Amino acid sequence: MNYQTDPDSAHRPFISADLLPLGIGFCALYVPTVVHFADTLWQTDEQGHGPLILAAALWMFYEAAQQLRRPAAPRRSVVSGALSVMLGLLAYIVGHSQNIAILEVASMIPTIAGALAATSGWSTVNTLRFPLFFLMFMAPVPGFIIDAMTGPLKLFISTQAESIMYALGYPVARVGVSLSVGQYQLLVADACSGLNSMVSLIAVGLFFMYLVKRQRLIHNALLLVAIPFIAVAANLVRVVAICLVTYYFGDEVGQGFVHGATGVLLFVVSLTLMFVVDAVLAKALPSKKVSA
């Protein structure tokens, strides 16, 4: 992304002392939230990526702010900015008091955007829209989405795992989401559905696109569309690997250390497939050369 400034007017660094009160206020509001998440939500396997999302978002904010310059007389949008802050604070109060994590996290976006609009204008907010949106990945997936998608995903994963194991010549049978491999029985749990890894991988994919900065919109769109399929494929590889380990080494090994270690396999397979898809798209859709 290019951060352009107006060369005809006096400018100063975006990060300056006059923004310190805003920074202090934001920290006073949201540091307790982050600490609470670190002690609760981020301790779970499903939301363990939360600290990484926060670190990536902070880095993107800093990287963009380093290149931004504020005019000496910026076009402030005080009224609309204040309304945005009020909306964010209302969402924060409701989310914090009712323990609704997604609302508490989402409140950061209008709060930050409104404060920036009131001090630097909406053009600055527009430039920082990507790291602002990225903050949403700190929040857990709403329960109704998990309930709607987990069951079908588990059934698909277990069905495909059965087909692969059968094609490889192993004695396998399936009842619902329960797989029988030899004398052992395995249950495809919610964590193996691919939904949580799908959200994490989408966040990683967006961060990757931010770093690589592909110029063609179709390239980025196709990569984003591919990510959910990559997550499901990687989870399928994980389930098949656990089935094979259990068949050869027993249920204690398959459901013990190896089960946790396959989480690393999932991440490696996902990243590898994402890089392969990106490379294929880069070859098929080369960036347009800009003539001098």
Side-chain angles (χ1 to χ4, degrees):
M1 294 184 180
N2 296 321
Y3 303 96
Q4 297 180 352
T5 59
D6 181 6
D8 297 325
S9 59
H11 290 75
R12 51 181 170 164
F14 179 75
I15 300 178
S16 55
D18 60 327
L19 289 182
L20 186 59
L22 288 178
I24 293 175
F26 182 79
C27 289
L29 193 63
Y30 287 105
V31 165
T33 296
V34 171
V35 172
H36 175 68
F37 283 177
D39 292 335
T40 55
L41 195 64
W42 293 347
Q43 295 294 326
T44 64
D45 292 337
E46 293 81 3
Q47 298 299 322
H49 60 272
L52 298 177
I53 298 296
L54 177 60
L58 290 175
W59 179 84
M60 286 189 285
F61 271 116
Y62 179 78
E63 192 261 350
Q66 287 292 98
Q67 300 180 56
L68 277 171
R69 292 293 182 270
R70 287 193 298 156
R75 292 183 177 179
R76 297 184 176 92
S77 302
V78 178
V79 175
S80 58
L83 290 174
S84 180
V85 171
M86 291 172 62
L87 176 63
L89 292 177
L90 178 62
Y92 173 82
I93 291 171
V94 175
H96 187 74
S97 62
Q98 302 301 314
N99 197 27
I100 306 175
I102 189 170
L103 195 57
E104 198 169 350
V105 171
S107 70
M108 294 184 182
I109 297 176
T111 302
I112 298 174
L116 290 174
T119 56
S120 304
W122 284 107
S123 59
T124 297
V125 177
N126 184 57
T127 302
L128 297 171
R129 65 188 182 277
F130 190 91
L132 277 171
F133 169 76
F134 196 76
L135 288 171
M136 280 302 300
F137 288 96
M138 289 172 51
V141 180
F144 70 92
I145 295 180
I146 294 177
D147 295 339
M149 295 185 63
T150 297
L153 282 172
K154 287 198 302 182
L155 184 60
F156 176 80
I157 291 289
S158 56
T159 301
Q160 297 306 312
E162 177 196 22
S163 299
I164 292 173
M165 294 293 291
Y166 181 80
L168 293 174
Y170 290 93
V172 60
R174 180 184 61 84
V175 177
V177 295
S178 179
L179 293 171
S180 296
V181 183
Q183 60 179 319
Y184 304 105
Q185 190 172 34
L186 299 92
L187 180 67
V188 178
D190 290 354
C192 296
S193 67
L195 183 58
N196 293 316
S197 58
M198 191 182 301
V199 175
S200 302
L201 191 60
I202 289 174
V204 172
L206 286 171
F207 186 61
F208 173 75
M209 287 190 291
Y210 181 87
L211 293 176
V212 176
K213 296 179 174 61
R214 299 295 187 189
Q215 295 179 6
R216 304 200 63 168
L217 179 62
I218 185 65
H219 182 126
N220 294 327
L222 289 175
L223 182 59
L224 271 181
V225 169
I227 284 177
F229 297 97
I230 290 172
V232 172
N235 272 278
L236 178 58
V237 171
R238 182 188 187 189
V239 171
V240 171
I242 292 175
C243 288
L244 292 173
V245 170
T246 301
Y247 179 78
Y248 284 109
F249 301 102
D251 189 64
E252 184 176 350
V253 176
Q255 298 303 313
F257 168 77
V258 172
H259 187 275
T262 53
V264 179
L265 174 65
L266 168 68
F267 190 70
V268 171
V269 171
S270 298
L271 286 183
T272 301
L273 290 176
M274 187 176 71
F275 293 151
V276 168
V277 171
D278 178 71
V280 170
L281 290 175
K283 288 287 186 181
L285 301 168
S287 299
K288 296 179 181 179
K289 294 182 179 180
V290 180
S291 57

